[in-house]
Each structure stands twice: as structure tokens, then as C-alpha cells.
Amino acid sequence: QVQLVESGGGLVQSGGSLRLSCEASGLTLDYYNIAWFRQAPGKEREGVSCISHIDGSTVYADSVKGRFTISRDNVKKMVFLQMNYLKPEDTATYYCAAESLYVGDRWSEPSTFDYWGQGTQVTVSS
């Protein structure tokens, strides 16, 4: 049974940092692309970042480029999202998602991913 469990969310002031973690079980992380999504109240779920299982290449939404960094540790079955220079508009529930098939340009579409965590709340105060 595949499980993804996010942690690390919380309340932080604007300009602060948080590091989110996604712990995977029930799968061999080496074979999965992992993405972070976020969803704010009343808004659609949006792709934040994705890391490839093939070569570790990464992609980011324009809104977070230069501020967020995704990384993975396949041995520990963990994926991380380091978030710096946080802004109030980053406030959302953050989810990690896993997919074994090629994702390409569809990385930011929630329907691309088969497995999801329950989410962790990030709140950035101004």
C-alpha cells in the first residue's frame, strides 16, 4: 500500500523559511517522479515543483523559481521542498504526489499523478 506523508508545515512570517518533507512507503522511490502541489482556499490545486526519478532534473512554477528547492533522498525515501523568502501568497495546503510514468510537461497537472499525501498546511503572515 503506497503512502505519502507530508510534514513540516506551519505558520511563518513573510520572508521566512520552511522545509517540507514527504515520506514515502509502499513503493521504491527510485522509480517515481515526485511533485509538490499546493491548494489555497477557493483556488485550484497547482503544481509547485517536480523532480525526476531518472536524472534528478527539476522544474518549478514561475511563482516559486529562485525561492523554492526540491530534492530527494531515495535511500531514506524522502522528498523535500525547501521554501525560502516566503510570501503571504504562498499560503496553502501543500501536497506531495508520486507517479512512475513519464510526466514531461504534464508535471503541473494533478491528474498526472496517481498517489497523493494528505497535505500539510503552510501559512505565511504579512
Side-chain angles (χ1 to χ4, degrees):
Q1 178 183 355
V2 175
Q3 272 196 316
L4 302 174
V5 180
E6 302 93 337
S7 61
L11 174 64
V12 64
Q13 287 188 333
S14 181
S17 299
L18 283 174
R19 188 192 194 207
L20 304 184
S21 300
C22 173
E23 183 172 9
S25 60
L27 56 77
T28 303
L29 193 63
D30 307 54
Y31 301 141
Y32 284 80
N33 304 294
I34 303 295
W36 285 95
F37 287 78
R38 65 187 181 186
Q39 188 167 19
K43 294 189 176 181
E44 293 187 352
R45 192 168 296 191
E46 63 171 348
V48 174
S49 182
C50 183
I51 185 165
S52 167
H53 71 88
I54 296 175
D55 57 4
S57 58
T58 58
V59 290
Y60 298 91
D62 287 343
S63 58
V64 306
K65 275 181 184 176
R67 300 188 297 123
F68 290 12
T69 303
I70 190 172
S71 61
R72 63 192 295 157
D73 184 333
N74 289 339
V75 174
K76 294 182 178 179
K77 292 191 173 183
M78 300 282 290
V79 178
F80 306 98
L81 186 68
Q82 178 67 43
M83 306 187 296
N84 299 326
Y85 306 106
L86 282 161
K87 305 175 181 180
E89 50 263 45
D90 294 319
T91 295
T93 301
Y94 284 71
Y95 301 89
C96 64
E99 173 56 47
S100 60
L101 301 178
Y102 177 73
V103 299
D105 291 341
R106 298 177 297 110
W107 73 270
S108 61
E109 300 171 21
S111 61
T112 301
F113 292 82
D114 279 343
Y115 302 106
W116 291 84
Q118 83 291 347
T120 186
Q121 177 67 37
V122 172
T123 303
V124 185
S125 63
S126 57

